[in-house]
Amino acid sequence: MELKIELTKNPKKKPDTDILGFGKYFSDHMFIMDYSEDKGWHDARIVPYDTISYEPAIMVFHYGQAIFEGLKAYKAKGEVVLFRPDENFKRLNNSCEALCIPKIDVQFAIDSLKKLVDIDRDWVPDSPGTSLYIRPFIIATEPHVGVHPSSNYQFIIITGPVGAYYKEGINPVKIYVEQKYVRAVKGGLGEAKASANYAASLKAQQEAAEKGYTQVLWLDGVERKYIEEVGTMNVFFVLGNEIVTPALNGSILPGITRKSCLELLRSWGLNVSERKISIQEIYEAHEKGQLKEAFGTGTAAVISPIGELCWNDKCITLSDGQIGEISHSLYDNLTGIQYTDVADPFGWVVKV
Ligand SMILES: *Cc1c(COP(=O)(O)O)cnc(C)c1O
């Protein structure tokens, strides 16, 4: 498919690195592609970043048929690189499947993304820990009030510079084990990166924040016993010499950082398992002195060490509130590969 390109005539002023934060600034260009039943995916174009107007009746506004992705471009020794972009677009297609959205061509999406990032390569910041955040998403654009899968869609990619997630190095966070609300259930949308999952998580997150916690730890939606994820990250525990993360069960989002951590840990010859794990087991391991560390994994923060867990008003401190050894090695190695400071034996890094 042809990719049309229209460059901006009014380049924006780029923000200073120290005020970047996350998700506040957007680069000069965006990618858009339309879908209709008669033409399929068509009219792929890179155009200046701007407002888009829609009829108030488009279906995404009413029935939430929306999915997204999140990945980053890094400035690495003067070059611009992406981290496993194929994984993101394959996962986008899995989300398409879950929400009755027509799939996209993975290779065409990667090529278009490379072109978009190339055009805005000056927007990729180069201070330590900064990157260009990339947000691909698909929304239902058929103007129709009535519930059925939309017959029109738009696939859009926007990008923007983001700051270092941790300003003073990686900090352990305080986690609330959620008992009242659930994020997802097997048979629902949990394993799709659907906007709806985020809508469903807001109330729990807000109440946890009011109590002084950074994130919630989600338990399974049926028995409220088994661990699923932490906030918008996958979660790992170090129990004695076993490193364990909940097995993908249909309601857990299959994170690419999770997958990369598993591959790294296995390549180091460590004892890693993906299995069912109850919150009870974590507390028992803690009592026996076997709970060494816990951490979340996701594109935004990479590794987020858990310093404190609170379940049923019982709070426990992990790794003395410090960053554990495994968390630290994973953070250093993953970011090392992403910024091309350490070797990439897996071929994860893709040059733009
Ligand atoms: C995106 C996401 C993750 C992390 O996935 P990565 O590919 O590692 O960024 C974990 N959980 C949820 C619910 C997510 O939406």
Side-chain angles (χ1 to χ4, degrees):
M1 199 191 315
E2 194 202 348
L3 175 61
K4 277 180 252 143
I5 295 171
E6 181 199 336
L7 297 179
T8 183
K9 293 186 183 71
N10 306 300
K12 291 182 276 194
K13 188 179 170 301
K14 296 181 185 65
D16 290 337
T17 316
D18 50 318
I19 58 158
L20 286 179
F22 200 96
K24 291 194 289 183
Y25 299 99
F26 302 98
S27 320
D28 279 329
H29 298 87
M30 61 183 175
F31 167 86
I32 306 185
M33 178 162 71
D34 298 321
Y35 178 91
S36 63
E37 276 171 352
D38 54 333
K39 291 186 191 162
W41 284 111
H42 66 281
D43 198 12
R45 58 215 188 260
I46 289 172
V47 292
Y49 180 95
D50 204 351
T51 54
I52 308 179
S53 65
Y54 295 110
E55 284 188 45
I58 67 166
M59 295 181 72
V60 68
F61 293 150
H62 307 277
Y63 312 113
Q65 199 186 3
I67 54 175
F68 67 96
E69 271 304 321
L71 68 161
K72 287 171 170 175
Y74 308 85
K75 184 98 19 116
K77 306 197 175 90
E79 308 248 32
V80 174
V81 302
L82 299 167
F83 184 73
R84 312 189 81 174
D86 52 322
E87 291 288 339
N88 288 93
F89 291 119
K90 280 188 229 158
R91 186 171 64 189
L92 185 69
N93 271 344
N94 292 339
S95 303
C96 283
E97 178 82 37
L99 278 94
C100 305
I101 297 171
K103 291 182 183 169
I104 51 135
D105 183 303
V106 169
Q107 193 54 51
F108 182 73
I110 296 173
D111 294 344
S112 303
L113 174 61
K114 282 188 185 170
K115 190 73 205 166
L116 178 67
V117 172
D118 183 33
I119 287 172
D120 281 335
R121 69 168 55 231
D122 290 347
W123 281 88
V124 187
D126 58 5
S127 310
T130 64
S131 57
L132 185 80
Y133 188 73
I134 299 164
R135 168 52 56 86
F137 61 106
I138 301 180
I139 53 169
T141 53
E142 181 193 352
H144 186 195
V145 172
V147 181
H148 62 81
S150 176
S151 55
N152 298 77
Y153 297 90
Q154 248 174 0
F155 172 28
I156 303 176
I157 308 177
I158 55 174
T159 74
V162 297
Y165 202 85
Y166 303 105
K167 285 190 191 70
E168 293 100 25
I170 55 177
N171 275 320
V173 293
K174 210 175 144 180
I175 301 293
Y176 182 76
V177 182
E178 182 56 56
Q179 307 259 62
K180 188 160 120 196
Y181 302 108
V182 299
R183 189 190 86 92
V185 287
K186 217 175 288 183
L189 293 176
E191 65 183 349
K193 219 169 166 71
S195 305
N197 290 328
Y198 282 75
S201 75
L202 296 174
K203 189 80 176 160
Q205 175 60 38
Q206 187 182 49
E207 289 184 13
E210 278 164 7
K211 293 183 199 129
Y213 300 92
T214 317
Q215 294 274 1
V216 302
L217 181 74
W218 299 105
L219 300 179
D220 76 279
V222 178
E223 295 180 77
R224 315 274 173 109
K225 268 191 194 162
Y226 298 99
I227 292 168
E228 301 236 306
E229 306 198 35
V230 55
T232 58
M233 291 181 285
N234 295 110
V235 66
F236 285 72
F237 298 88
V238 182
L239 305 177
N241 71 354
E242 182 195 21
I243 305 168
V244 53
T245 188
L248 300 177
N249 61 354
S251 52
I252 293 173
L253 195 288
I256 295 158
T257 318
R258 173 188 182 278
K259 182 175 180 172
S260 305
C261 286
L262 287 171
E263 289 171 35
L264 267 177
L265 293 165
R266 287 184 177 129
S267 79
W268 297 340
L270 297 173
N271 173 17
V272 190
S273 29
E274 296 173 72
R275 61 172 175 86
K276 230 174 169 177
I277 176 164
S278 69
I279 185 70
Q280 185 77 36
E281 181 185 345
I282 294 299
Y283 270 65
E284 282 168 10
H286 174 73
E287 268 166 35
K288 292 187 217 142
Q290 287 174 345
L291 176 59
K292 295 198 182 139
E293 53 184 294
F295 52 92
T297 66
T299 297
V302 190
I303 301 292
S304 186
I306 298 175
E308 196 180 324
L309 265 184
C310 291
W311 177 46
N312 278 338
D313 299 324
K314 265 202 315 201
C315 296
I316 57 177
T317 302
L318 290 87
S319 324
D320 296 323
Q322 304 296 306
I323 300 151
E325 201 184 321
I326 303 284
S327 312
H328 222 293
S329 309
L330 282 172
Y331 181 81
D332 288 348
N333 271 275
L334 268 179
T335 55
I337 291 172
Q338 288 162 344
Y339 289 93
T340 71
D341 294 322
V342 307
D344 171 25
F346 307 96
W348 287 341
V349 163
V350 175
K351 220 185 269 184
V352 170

